[in-house]
Amino acid sequence: MSGILYLVATPIGNLGDLSSRAAATLEEADFIAAEDTRVTMKLLSHLSIKKPLVSYHEHNKSTAGPAILKRLLAGESCALATDAGTPAISDPGEDLVRLCGENGVTVQAVPGCCALISALAVSGLPTRRFVFEGFLPVNRAERRELLGELLGEERTLLFYEAPHRLRSALDDLEAAFGDRQIALCRELTKLHEDVMRTTLSQAAAWYRENEPRGEYVLVVAGAERPAENAVTLEEGTAMVLARREKGERMKDAVRQVAADTGLGRNDLYEAALRAAAER
């Protein structure tokens, strides 16, 4: 009989947030797979737990994953822990979970801290429907392309961001979305926890004068739903062609008009192509 992979959520800053079940699971597992064994060792020392550790992270998952699976199939139990938060969420743990599923190994969640959920809860923005995009691409062109694809997304948007990339991220968010509401949730549960509820323009201006510090979760308001049938397909097509005449690419013009009007992107694109060919 195979063992069990436990996904153990660890504190994102405050050690008091570790659940008694999480501590017991770390104590009882045969071994622990850690994103950074040094970080997990500090947590285990705090709990007075001594347990064999193996390394499992983005750069070794292709070899470490099968090695962990082999031990699970042999009947051992493993607790998977990231440096902070819930394993397998924007994390290579998802690959290990998939591997276990493909091989009939039971996976159980030991729930606890998750930075994105904590940030969403305190943001003051709509929480019923949301989209988590993880870290924005480092490459600026790729980042802008992704934000363009999200332009018409009506659900609340969440991103992780590092301090050294925050300023450029805010600039690109404002350029893509305009002056939407944003909550910048910094160092959640830690000593210098801070939540700034403001607009994208005000946030960008603030951080041009103030140094970003700590890890951020950015919670951005979704797009406003356009009034139904406010613009016909013919009118939308004319708007696209007007943008094309100003030098915009067809793809970008269609994306923007679709977001502004609520018209279907594919219908708008095909109509614009036909209209352009007839000119």
Side-chain angles (χ1 to χ4, degrees):
M1 184 176 178
S2 64
I4 297 175
L5 176 68
Y6 295 98
L7 307 180
V8 181
T10 55
I12 59 176
N14 190 322
L15 289 176
D17 291 335
L18 187 77
S19 72
S20 57
R21 182 185 172 206
T25 301
L26 293 170
E27 175 71 55
E28 295 166 7
D30 292 309
F31 68 102
I32 297 170
E35 178 182 3
D36 186 328
T37 55
R38 296 166 298 181
V39 173
T40 301
M41 182 64 74
K42 292 179 181 178
L43 176 62
L44 295 179
S45 296
H46 173 75
L47 298 170
S48 299
I49 295 174
K50 293 184 178 181
K51 190 68 56 174
L53 291 172
V54 299
S55 177
Y56 178 83
H57 49 72
E58 182 65 33
H59 303 295
N60 76 347
K61 64 183 182 181
S62 61
T63 54
I68 293 170
L69 175 65
K70 183 177 180 179
R71 295 179 66 172
L72 288 165
L73 290 172
E76 292 186 80
S77 61
C78 173
L80 177 65
T82 66
D83 291 350
T86 300
I89 303 299
S90 193
D91 175 86
E94 67 176 296
D95 297 288
L96 183 56
V97 171
R98 185 181 306 110
L99 192 61
C100 288
E102 292 170 351
N103 288 273
V105 174
T106 299
V107 179
Q108 291 185 6
V110 182
C113 296
C114 183
L116 76 98
I117 296 300
S118 299
L120 179 65
V122 301
S123 69
L125 291 169
T127 63
R128 188 176 69 85
R129 301 173 69 236
F130 60 92
V131 178
F132 174 56
E133 288 289 333
F135 283 94
L136 286 165
V138 175
N139 180 277
R140 194 156 202 176
E142 294 178 3
R143 183 163 68 238
R144 288 177 172 177
E145 182 176 359
L146 172 64
L147 294 176
E149 293 172 357
L150 294 171
L151 186 62
E153 176 58 65
E154 296 175 8
R155 292 170 289 184
T156 300
L157 299 158
L158 290 99
F159 307 94
Y160 286 160
E161 196 51 88
H164 64 281
R165 292 198 301 266
L166 181 68
R167 286 170 172 157
S168 60
L170 289 173
D171 287 341
D172 288 343
L173 282 163
E174 183 185 4
F177 297 156
D179 204 16
R180 293 190 194 175
Q181 293 292 314
I182 181 174
L184 298 93
C185 304
R186 181 175 69 89
E187 296 288 88
L188 290 172
T189 80
K190 300 177 184 177
L191 179 62
H192 299 292
E193 175 177 338
D194 178 66
V195 178
M196 176 189 288
R197 301 177 185 87
T198 182
T199 64
L200 283 168
S201 66
Q202 291 173 335
W206 168 264
Y207 279 107
R208 279 194 288 270
E209 303 296 330
N210 296 272
E211 190 70 24
R213 298 184 184 279
E215 300 298 322
Y216 290 80
V217 184
L218 307 179
V219 189
V220 183
E224 291 187 7
R225 178 172 295 182
E228 293 185 6
N229 302 320
V231 178
T232 66
L233 181 58
E234 183 178 359
E235 291 170 332
T237 301
M239 294 167 66
V240 170
L241 295 180
R243 285 178 169 273
R244 289 281 292 134
E245 290 175 358
K246 293 179 181 179
E248 284 192 33
R249 296 186 307 166
M250 178 70 81
K251 180 180 179 181
D252 295 333
V254 167
R255 181 188 298 128
Q256 183 63 58
V257 172
D260 290 343
T261 64
L263 293 169
R265 190 182 298 182
N266 291 338
D267 292 339
L268 193 56
Y269 188 81
E270 291 174 3
L273 285 179
R274 287 195 300 270
E278 293 170 0
R279 286 191 167 189

